[in-house]
């Protein structure tokens, strides 16, 4: 009739633990048909806080991705489908698939990274189910309470989702630990839902130079207008190579000016990074740029303008011409 | 014979209509502050303007009109009474033909993306555009959801984060900015497009257009009349400031910087 007195404490603890993880989460895995993307590893990490995690891997010739997903800690099952219509991550085709999977399996949470892929697909699915989307989640308090970033990270909103039967979450990769290898889930095949014919992939320009992934690098060195042109970014690429596991980022201004490609943009509407060390070179630190890097562990900056806003978030600030400072730093590295 | 050719020409240059959706937001230069009651941000007496990404959408629509791809542009916004200023100043004054305000009770009223998408769906059904153009995200809420939700509700294609768009008959060829580079797609019309930074550089309104804007039709529809339930799905428990960083220090030389990063911060 009730727990025996001397085991009340351990029963309560077990009950608390059971209550803590009641969710059944589906993670829509982003990949390039060869490996799970770094942001998705964090999405799995985030989803593990909610309960059982099922990874959905849809692509073409993506067996290796399904295999890798099945070996991630926290993943209890993998749903995989290999079909041409999913090869390039077209949202119209993927949304139809997720709808079918959800209708069959009834997850309580559907999760994706808040990346260009996740942003494209997840809201489309949420609308199909007449549910809200909780975007850019930086914290999970429990299965219904989440913290999300708004106003370029200047206002953090804690929201509770009590009305929607399915919680749709796009999570900020830098806020959640990446799922490590160490699991052993079964891979189950699911039926393809077909080509919607609404969009057609033509081509893709992907930077294949083997640069370190900006969102995964331990160190990020970013350049702004102070660099003056794209050629001068060579200094930063060299510094990144010297430091190792370092990537080069950029401000919106220099991407707009064509100095560097768009996938290097760090900021509110570019990439959000939170490396161990962020070195801001020749950039002033506009609100929108700070939004993309102010959670970095250590921030250093080099700028000739001592009043530049970047100094207000920097742990170490050097007021000097970057064309002298960067070479001087290189000698000491 | 002439009549026949004129008819052919008319059929081949189908008159396209564009719907542009925009939002009145706190200006991007403002340093946003959390309210003392911790349930929102301070909006009173704070500068507001058109969401920058929506300005890019307006500009794109106007360019299509100038290139004779589109013959009519309608702008729509869901917002409080002051949103008319944005519709006049950032849409009608730039070449948009008519505007619709779905009026919320107050200027600081907030509506979730799901409800905005439903309202816009109703407007699409009324206006019957060939495509919808809007910004990729609103810089206040940062959800980046409305365009995709709207496309989903309409069963239309979506082209998000556009860095280029060309319309040819019943399809559009687009370039999208992704996390790894640029993706080129062919999108069937009708479609919902969301515009990214490098799609174009919006023009400034010129005086003759600003004057003309005063006479262009601007319809106000109370949100209650749309039949859409705008009750929020999410409850705001708290709005807080981001964590503050401890004050840093200035170093005197590059050598000192490297030394501190190696030996003090231990990150190099």
């Amino acid at each position: 009739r009730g727990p025996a007195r001397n085991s009340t404490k351990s029963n309560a603890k077990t009950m608390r633990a059971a209550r803590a993880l009641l969710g059944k989460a589906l993670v829509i895995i982003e990949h390039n048909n060869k490996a799970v993307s770094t942001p998705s590893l964090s999405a799995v990490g985030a989803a593990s806080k909610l309960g059982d995690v099922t990874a959905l891997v849809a692509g073409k010739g993506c067996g290796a991705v399904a295999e890798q997903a099945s070996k991630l800690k926290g993943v209890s099952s993998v749903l995989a489908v290999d079909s041409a219509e999913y090869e390039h991550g077209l949202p119209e085709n993927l949304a139809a698939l997720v709808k079918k999977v959800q209708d069959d399996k009834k997850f309580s949470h559907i999760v994706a990274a808040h990346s260009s892929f996740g942003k494209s697909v997840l809201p489309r699915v949420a609308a199909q189910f007449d549910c809200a989307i909780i975007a850019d989640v930086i914290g999970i308090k429990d299965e219904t309470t989440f913290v999300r970033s708004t106003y370029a990270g200047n206002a953090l909103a804690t929201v509770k989702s009590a009305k929607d039967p399915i919680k749709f979450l796009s999570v900020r990769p830098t806020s959640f630990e990446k799922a490590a290898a160490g699991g052993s889930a079964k891979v189950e095949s699911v039926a393809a839902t077909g080509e919607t014919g609404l969009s057609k992939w033509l081509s893709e320009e992907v930077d294949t130079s083997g640069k370190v992934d900006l969102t995964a690098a331990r160190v990020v060195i970013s350049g702004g207008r102070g660099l003056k042109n794209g050629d001068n970014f060579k200094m930063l690429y060299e510094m990144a190579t010297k430091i190792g596991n370092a990537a080069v980022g950029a401000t919106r201004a220099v991407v707009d000016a064509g100095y560097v490609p768009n996938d290097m943009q760090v900021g509110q509407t570019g990439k959000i990074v939170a490396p161990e060390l962020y070195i801001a070179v020749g950039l002033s630190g506009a609100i929108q740029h700070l939004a993309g890097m102010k959670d970095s562990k250590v921030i250093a900056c080099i700028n000739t303008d001592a009043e530049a806003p970047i100094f207000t978030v920097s742990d170490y600030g050097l007021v000097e011409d970057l064309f002298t400072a960067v070479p001087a730093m290189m000698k000491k590295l | 014979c002439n009549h026949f050719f004129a008819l052919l020409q008319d059929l081949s240059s189908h008159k396209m209509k564009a719907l542009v959706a925009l939002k009145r937001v706190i200006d991007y230069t403002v340093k946003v502050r959390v309210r003392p009651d911790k349930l929102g941000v301070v909006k009173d007496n704070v500068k507001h303007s058109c969401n920058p990404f929506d300005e890019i959408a307006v500009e794109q629509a106007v360019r299509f009109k100038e290139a004779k791809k589109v013959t009519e542009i309608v702008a729509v916004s869901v917002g409080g009474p002051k949103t008319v200023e944005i519709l006049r100043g950032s849409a009608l004054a730039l070449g948009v033909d008519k505007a619709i305000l779905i009026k919320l009770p107050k200027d600081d009223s907030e509506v979730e993306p799901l409800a905005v998408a439903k309202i816009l769906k109703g407007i699409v059904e009324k206006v019957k555009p060939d495509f919808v153009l809007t910004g990729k995200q609103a810089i206040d809420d940062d959800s980046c959801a409305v365009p995709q939700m709207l496309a989903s509700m309409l069963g239309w294609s979506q082209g998000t984060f556009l860095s280029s768009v060309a319309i040819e008959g019943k399809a559009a060829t687009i370039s999208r900015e992704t996390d790894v580079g640029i993706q080129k797609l062919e999108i069937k019309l009708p479609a919902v497009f969301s515009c990214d930074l490098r799609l174009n550089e919006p023009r400034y309104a010129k005086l003759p257009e600003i004057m003309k804007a005063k006479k262009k039709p601007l319809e106000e529809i109370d949100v209650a009349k749309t039949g859409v339930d705008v009750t929020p799905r999410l409850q705001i428990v708290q709005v807080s400031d981001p964590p503050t960083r401890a004050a840093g220090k200035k170093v005197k030389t590059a050598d000192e910087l490297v030394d501190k990063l190696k030996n003090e911060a231990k990150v190099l």
Side-chain angles (χ1 to χ4, degrees):
Chain A
R1 236 164 132 207
R5 229 177 250 248
N6 57 3
S7 62
T8 301
K9 260 195 185 156
S10 67
N11 274 2
K13 206 168 163 199
T14 315
M15 294 276 283
R16 260 201 310 274
R19 255 205 308 273
L21 296 179
L22 280 182
K24 217 177 98 166
L26 176 73
V27 179
I28 307 175
I29 298 291
E30 174 184 359
H31 61 85
N32 58 359
N33 292 308
K34 300 193 199 103
V36 175
S37 76
T38 311
S40 276
L41 292 174
S42 293
V44 172
S48 328
K49 290 172 177 269
L50 300 164
D52 275 346
V53 175
T54 298
L56 175 63
V57 177
K60 173 120 181 79
C62 56
V65 182
E67 171 91 18
Q68 184 191 354
S70 72
K71 300 210 168 85
L72 292 174
K73 248 198 191 132
V75 173
S76 54
S77 76
V78 177
L79 301 174
V81 53
D82 200 312
S83 190
E85 67 265 34
Y86 309 120
E87 187 176 0
H88 300 289
L90 296 177
E92 297 89 351
N93 295 343
L94 275 170
L97 174 68
V98 180
K99 178 165 201 306
K100 177 139 198 312
V101 166
Q102 174 61 18
D103 284 342
D104 287 344
K105 310 273 185 180
K106 304 203 184 333
F107 294 96
S108 57
H109 297 75
I110 301 184
V111 180
H114 192 66
S115 63
S116 124
F117 167 82
K119 287 180 218 177
S120 178
V121 178
L122 202 65
R124 200 173 168 110
V125 188
Q128 284 173 322
F129 286 96
D130 191 26
C131 288
I133 183 163
I134 303 154
D136 206 6
V137 172
I138 57 174
I140 295 176
K141 296 239 148 127
D142 62 43
E143 311 98 79
T144 61
T145 315
F146 313 98
V147 185
R148 61 174 297 258
S149 167
T150 67
Y151 290 96
N154 289 300
L156 305 183
T158 303
V159 299
K160 190 167 164 68
S161 170
K163 297 180 180 178
D164 289 338
I166 312 164
K167 324 297 181 208
F168 285 86
L169 309 173
S170 65
V171 299
R172 180 180 287 195
T174 51
S175 295
F176 298 94
E177 262 197 66
K178 298 194 269 280
S184 63
K186 275 211 176 75
V187 178
E188 182 190 325
S189 262
V190 292
T193 45
E195 173 61 73
T196 58
L198 290 172
S199 62
K200 188 168 100 172
W201 183 86
L202 296 176
S203 65
E204 206 138 348
E205 271 167 41
V206 171
D207 188 356
T208 49
S209 67
K211 294 202 299 246
V212 176
D213 179 357
L214 195 52
T215 55
R218 193 187 70 84
V219 177
V220 172
I221 308 162
S222 279
R225 265 195 287 231
L227 272 295
K228 297 202 172 85
N229 61 49
D231 282 339
N232 290 333
F233 266 78
K234 211 162 63 165
M235 277 196 291
L236 304 188
Y237 300 134
E238 282 167 6
M239 186 183 272
T241 308
K242 198 140 200 223
I243 293 175
N245 196 1
V248 177
T251 61
R252 174 209 168 152
V254 304
V255 176
D256 281 0
Y259 297 0
V260 296
N262 67 288
D263 60 316
M264 282 172 59
Q265 183 174 325
V266 169
Q268 177 188 14
T269 70
K271 292 196 168 80
I272 310 271
V273 301
E276 291 260 302
L277 171 62
Y278 191 91
I279 309 177
V281 182
L283 66 88
S284 60
I287 297 172
Q288 294 75 22
H289 185 78
L290 298 188
M293 44 65 72
K294 64 190 170 81
D295 289 335
S296 305
K297 194 156 152 262
V298 176
I299 300 174
C301 72
I302 304 171
N303 199 305
T304 48
D305 177 8
E307 304 301 308
I310 189 70
F311 283 95
T312 63
V313 299
S314 295
D315 299 292
Y316 305 102
L318 174 60
V319 182
E320 195 177 319
D321 184 345
L322 66 98
F323 292 104
T324 337
V326 173
M329 279 183 76
M330 286 292 280
K331 290 211 179 83
K332 282 275 161 174
L333 284 170
Chain B
C1 201
N2 278 346
H3 179 75
F4 177 68
F5 281 123
L7 187 63
L8 266 188
Q9 211 163 17
D10 227 19
L11 287 174
S12 64
S13 62
H14 158 65
K15 296 179 191 317
M16 286 204 168
K17 207 192 240 186
L19 177 70
V20 182
L22 36 108
K23 187 180 184 185
R24 176 177 180 266
V25 297
I26 293 180
D27 189 84
Y28 78 96
T29 57
V30 169
K31 203 154 191 218
V32 167
R33 276 176 357 213
V34 171
R35 276 185 351 222
D37 69 1
K38 294 195 143 234
L39 288 172
V41 302
V42 176
K43 292 187 180 181
D44 283 345
N45 299 315
V46 165
K47 180 173 185 213
H48 282 63
S49 44
C50 180
N51 184 40
F53 292 101
D54 299 335
E55 291 182 322
I56 294 174
V58 170
E59 173 65 29
Q60 196 55 45
V62 173
R63 288 189 190 190
F64 279 138
K65 193 165 164 217
E66 287 168 343
K68 301 206 189 323
K69 290 277 175 191
V70 151
T71 47
E72 190 187 2
I73 309 171
V74 178
V76 60
S77 187
V78 178
K82 284 210 180 119
T83 303
V84 298
E85 297 166 9
I86 303 298
L87 286 169
R88 286 218 189 277
S90 301
L92 297 174
L94 290 168
V96 167
D97 300 295
K98 24 173 116 112
I100 303 169
L101 168 65
I102 305 296
K103 198 157 80 173
L104 300 175
K106 294 192 292 163
D107 287 315
D108 61 1
S109 302
E110 285 174 2
V111 179
E112 291 174 348
L114 184 67
V116 172
K118 287 179 184 170
I119 294 169
L120 292 181
K121 174 171 185 272
I123 298 299
V124 165
E125 285 160 357
K126 184 174 132 109
V127 168
K128 299 197 203 318
D130 294 90
F131 53 88
V132 178
L133 278 161
T134 188
K136 74 170 180 182
Q137 76 193 63
I139 61 168
D140 49 8
D141 190 55
D142 282 334
S143 280
C144 194
V146 169
Q148 300 84 293
M149 289 184 147
L150 176 60
S152 184
M153 289 172 186
L154 291 167
W156 286 10
S157 342
Q158 66 182 56
T160 52
F161 322 136
L162 298 195
S163 56
S164 83
V165 56
I167 304 215
E168 224 37 75
K170 294 235 169 223
T173 307
I174 64 165
S175 296
R176 346 174 22 239
E177 292 200 3
T178 68
D179 289 337
V180 294
I182 309 274
Q183 188 187 58
K184 271 201 163 72
L185 303 177
E186 190 184 281
I187 301 288
K188 253 199 187 125
L189 294 186
V192 178
F193 296 120
S194 81
C195 304
D196 211 329
L197 289 174
R198 285 162 276 278
L199 178 60
N200 61 50
E201 207 175 302
R203 68 193 66 194
Y204 291 103
K206 292 207 181 74
L207 193 55
E209 285 294 331
I210 296 175
M211 299 310 292
K212 265 196 245 167
K214 298 187 181 180
K215 302 213 176 83
K216 289 182 179 177
L218 199 166
E219 186 187 353
E220 289 188 25
I221 305 174
D222 257 357
V223 69
K225 295 244 159 68
T226 62
V228 172
D229 182 3
V230 300
T231 323
R233 298 296 179 81
L234 306 175
Q235 175 210 343
I236 297 183
V237 174
Q238 186 190 234
V239 175
S240 51
D241 290 300
T244 41
R245 296 185 72 97
K249 50 186 129 174
K250 291 224 166 73
V251 296
K252 295 204 183 73
T253 62
D255 283 7
E256 196 189 337
L257 179 58
V258 178
D259 175 56
K260 287 269 185 319
L261 291 175
K262 274 190 178 157
N263 303 312
E264 194 174 273
K266 299 198 204 287
V267 284
L268 275 183

